């Protein structure tokens, strides 16, 4: 009797194992992802990451959420309390293909300009103009270059004697063209009017 029970238990265990292997194989077969064999562009920028490649399954393309958010200049965070991923767009006040300005504060010669740049070789330039004169012309190195967006914060102090008596003060963000050395992607940003 003991031998018969042992045989039945072994057969039952074998049946469960075979069913489990079959279910695992079926599940694996349903979710076989392949490398996407085509170009993917995010906001005009090609997506390429050897460590986290784009994958394809059943006519759909899968790209890591954090990477897409970063390419778009959005904030991607895990909300532990709600147990979810949250993507928050940083809506710019001023924007072009190379710059997104999200905050401009200050007055009377002291200003702070914050945003993001997507600049070749990570070197952005800026100049402060009073309408006719260039008061400042500087460069700023960002933490990374294109195709990624990198944050910047510019703190300006324009001496009181250089401020216009009647006119408008603005800053122009730009990158220097590698072709001809001229300003490219110029983005004018209003600072103050007198």
């Amino acid at each position: 009797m003991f031998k018969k029970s042992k045989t039945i238990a072994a057969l039952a265990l074998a049946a469960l194992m075979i069913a489990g292997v079959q279910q695992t194989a079926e599940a694996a077969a349903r979710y076989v992802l392949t490398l996407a064999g085509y170009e993917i562009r995010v906001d005009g920028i090609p997506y390429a990451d050897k460590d986290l490649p784009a994958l394809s399954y059943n006519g759909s393309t899968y790209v890591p959420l954090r990477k897409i958010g970063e390419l778009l200049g959005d904030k991607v965070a895990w909300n532990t309390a709600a147990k979810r991923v949250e993507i928050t767009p940083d809506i710019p006040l001023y924007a072009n293909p190379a710059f997104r300005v999200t905050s401009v504060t200050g007055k009377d010669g002291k200003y702070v300009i914050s945003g993001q740049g997507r600049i070749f070789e990570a070197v952005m330039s800026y100049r402060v103009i009073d309408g006719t004169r260039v008061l400042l012309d500087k460069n700023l190195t960002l933490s990374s270059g294109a195709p990624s967006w990198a944050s910047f914060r510019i703190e300006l102090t324009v001496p009181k004697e250089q401020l216009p008596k009647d006119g408008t003060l603005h800053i122009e963000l730009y990158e220097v063209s590698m072709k001809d050395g001229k300003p490219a992607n110029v983005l004018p940003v209003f600072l103050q009017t007198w």
Side-chain angles (χ1 to χ4, degrees):
M1 178 77 170
F2 179 70
K3 193 173 188 181
K4 191 174 185 180
S5 297
K6 196 173 181 184
T7 304
I8 292 172
L11 287 173
L13 182 59
L16 286 172
M17 287 177 67
I18 290 169
V21 167
Q22 184 178 359
Q23 285 180 338
T24 303
E26 287 173 5
R30 280 188 249 144
Y31 299 102
V32 175
L33 299 164
T34 59
L35 289 174
Y38 41 87
E39 184 178 56
I40 296 164
R41 291 184 167 260
V42 179
D43 200 17
I45 303 300
Y47 176 82
D49 190 315
K50 290 177 184 171
D51 295 328
L52 297 169
L55 301 172
S56 179
Y57 167 71
N58 200 21
S60 294
T61 303
Y62 296 87
V63 183
L65 217 58
R66 179 169 301 283
K67 289 293 190 174
I68 296 300
E70 288 170 358
L71 283 171
L72 292 171
D74 295 338
K75 294 175 186 162
V76 181
W78 174 253
N79 182 326
T80 304
K83 295 182 181 174
R84 67 179 176 222
V85 174
E86 295 179 350
I87 301 173
T88 309
D90 228 353
I91 300 171
L93 302 170
Y94 302 88
N96 69 14
F99 299 101
R100 293 176 176 161
V101 175
T102 54
S103 173
V104 179
T105 60
K107 66 178 187 169
D108 300 330
K110 293 187 187 267
Y111 310 94
V112 177
I113 300 93
S114 300
Q116 300 163 330
R118 182 169 59 187
I119 310 299
F120 181 72
E121 300 218 355
V123 178
M124 67 177 277
S125 300
Y126 62 91
R127 58 186 168 208
V128 178
I129 301 173
D130 72 356
T132 57
R133 300 176 298 155
V134 175
L135 306 177
L136 293 170
D137 198 349
K138 297 190 175 193
N139 296 321
L140 177 65
T141 302
L142 304 180
S143 62
S144 63
S148 297
W149 288 95
S151 296
F152 66 81
R153 178 182 166 93
I154 301 170
E155 296 183 25
L156 295 174
T157 300
V158 179
K160 191 171 186 172
E161 61 275 4
Q162 289 187 338
L163 292 173
K165 306 280 185 261
D166 184 25
T168 299
L169 189 67
H170 70 275
I171 185 172
E172 288 183 346
L173 308 179
Y174 64 97
E175 62 180 318
V176 177
S177 169
M178 298 307 284
K179 285 184 180 177
D180 59 15
K182 294 181 181 177
N185 290 314
V186 178
L187 181 65
V189 177
F190 170 80
L191 294 175
Q192 190 172 353
T193 298
W194 284 268

